[in-house]
Amino acid sequence: MRRVIVDSAIYREGRRKDGPADLSDALREARASGDAFLWVGLYEPTEAEFDHVSAEFALHPLAVEDALKAHQRPKLEVYDDSLFMVLKPVLYEPESDRVSTGELMVFVGDSFVVTVRHGEGAPLAAVRRRLEAEPEVLRHGPTAVLYAIGDAVVDHYIEVAGELQVDLEELETDVFAPAGGNPGSTAERIYTAKRQVLEFRRAAGPLAAPVERLATGAVPFVNRHAQPFFRDVSDHLIRVNEQVEGLNQLLSDVLAAHLAQMGVRQNDDVRKISAWAAMAAVPTMVAGIYGMNFEHMPELGWVWAYPAVILVMVGIEVGLYRMFKRRGWM
């Protein structure tokens, strides 16, 4: 258990107090004081490791199953003895310009908070440090922890959305560059960016309903005076979702523009090929007439026939070249 318990402490009046190592004793001490709560943080526990925790805190079996299996959509569930919330933190990897998601489960009950983290994208250590540095916030109990976690996750969404915006601007520059770059590589980058935005939408979009519920409705185990704080989180999340939708739409427009440019370039190539073929057809035609080997051909006996025909072919070629050039075919 010490391997999966990242941190465990009792908080009384906003101050950390290391409690007993045994979770039952620690929870009993927190409840006995009346103004304290126990916060236990777990990292990717197995079923056997989590059984002890779920038994001590009387967590609902369905919530425990979700916490162990992960791969859940963001949601908020209310049970008799606890509140269960799922969040999906997002991590941006600048080396590969990719977005990855983790999972964060929060159990809130009578004088306790249990957090279960999956993946590397959950900023819980920073949240705990920030709350411990603000005892006036932490003294509000488990509600303060739930708010701080949601606020940290959504604030990180804003940072990731900004990184994706920068990537999109680079894509736009490449697509509309005069040289056009490598069409296959550009299309692959656009599709990759759309997958990253889709991954982001799956994390941020479904979270709007649970946060709105915390901000507007009476939810058990959550202090009703905290609704303005959750409304602030909701406002930030709405802005993030709008930005993500805008990124998705812009990527679709960039992809359409890229495909249109590829079509235009292909048309240009066809016109150039057609122009060169038309210019090659003139001397081919003249040479073909001379190669028919008829006995009676008026120009065969002329002294200046050969240079005259060459001059005519050159003149026609020059005329065709200038016409095609003027029309933008060459």
Side-chain angles (χ1 to χ4, degrees), residues 59 118 126 132 241:
L59 304 179
H118 295 268
E132 290 177 354
N241 284 325

Side-chain angles (χ1 to χ4, degrees), residues 146-160:
L146 183 61
Y147 158 71
I149 291 174
D151 186 55
V153 169
V154 173
D155 283 349
H156 196 61
Y157 284 170
I158 297 174
E159 296 176 11
V160 174

Side-chain angles (χ1 to χ4, degrees), residues 9-87:
I10 294 175
Y11 295 89
R12 179 179 294 115
E13 296 183 353
R15 303 292 180 180
R16 180 183 178 117
K17 177 182 179 299
D18 292 330
D22 183 77
L23 294 180
S24 294
D25 295 339
L27 181 60
R28 190 178 304 110
E29 179 179 329
R31 285 174 172 169
S33 66
D35 59 350
F37 70 95
L38 173 65
W39 182 1
V40 179
L42 307 175
Y43 178 69
E44 295 185 351
T46 64
E47 183 175 355
E49 292 167 335
F50 199 53
D51 281 345
H52 176 64
V53 177
S54 61
E56 293 294 343
F57 293 96
L59 304 179
H60 196 280
L62 293 178
V64 171
E65 181 181 359
D66 289 344
L68 289 172
K69 289 185 176 180
H71 304 294
Q72 304 294 318
R73 283 170 56 90
K75 63 180 180 179
L76 178 67
E77 299 285 353
V78 177
Y79 299 102
D80 292 337
D81 299 320
S82 63
L83 178 73
F84 177 63
M85 187 170 184
V86 179
L87 304 95

Side-chain angles (χ1 to χ4, degrees), residues 74 88 90 157 199-209 237 240-241 244:
K88 293 182 75 69
V90 172
Y157 284 170
E199 187 75 13
F200 198 168
R201 290 177 66 188
R202 288 173 177 169
L207 186 59
L237 184 59
V240 168
N241 284 325
V244 172

Side-chain angles (χ1 to χ4, degrees), residues 268 271-272 275 319-330:
D268 288 341
R271 285 200 301 265
K272 290 177 181 178
L320 288 174
Y321 179 82
R322 294 181 64 183
M323 181 183 69
F324 292 147
K325 190 74 173 177
R326 186 168 58 251
R327 295 184 177 182
W329 287 26
M330 301 186 69

Side-chain angles (χ1 to χ4, degrees), residues 272-288 313 316-318 320-321 324 330:
K272 290 177 181 178
I273 293 171
S274 300
W276 285 110
M279 292 175 64
V282 173
T284 302
M285 179 188 66
V286 175
M313 286 193 295
I316 294 174
E317 293 293 308
V318 171
L320 288 174
Y321 179 82
F324 292 147
M330 301 186 69

Side-chain angles (χ1 to χ4, degrees), residues 214-278:
L214 290 169
T216 59
V219 179
F221 309 106
V222 175
N223 192 320
R224 61 184 179 85
H225 296 295
Q227 289 184 359
F229 297 95
F230 285 110
R231 279 200 296 270
D232 181 66
V233 176
S234 179
D235 290 341
H236 290 175
L237 184 59
I238 290 172
R239 187 176 70 183
V240 168
N241 284 325
E242 289 176 349
Q243 188 172 359
V244 172
E245 288 298 327
L247 289 173
N248 185 60
Q249 183 59 48
L250 282 174
L251 279 170
S252 298
D253 295 341
V254 169
L255 178 60
H258 175 65
L259 296 177
Q261 283 191 331
M262 290 183 62
V264 170
R265 293 191 186 105
Q266 289 176 349
N267 290 337
D268 288 341
D269 293 340
V270 170
R271 285 200 301 265
K272 290 177 181 178
I273 293 171
S274 300
W276 285 110

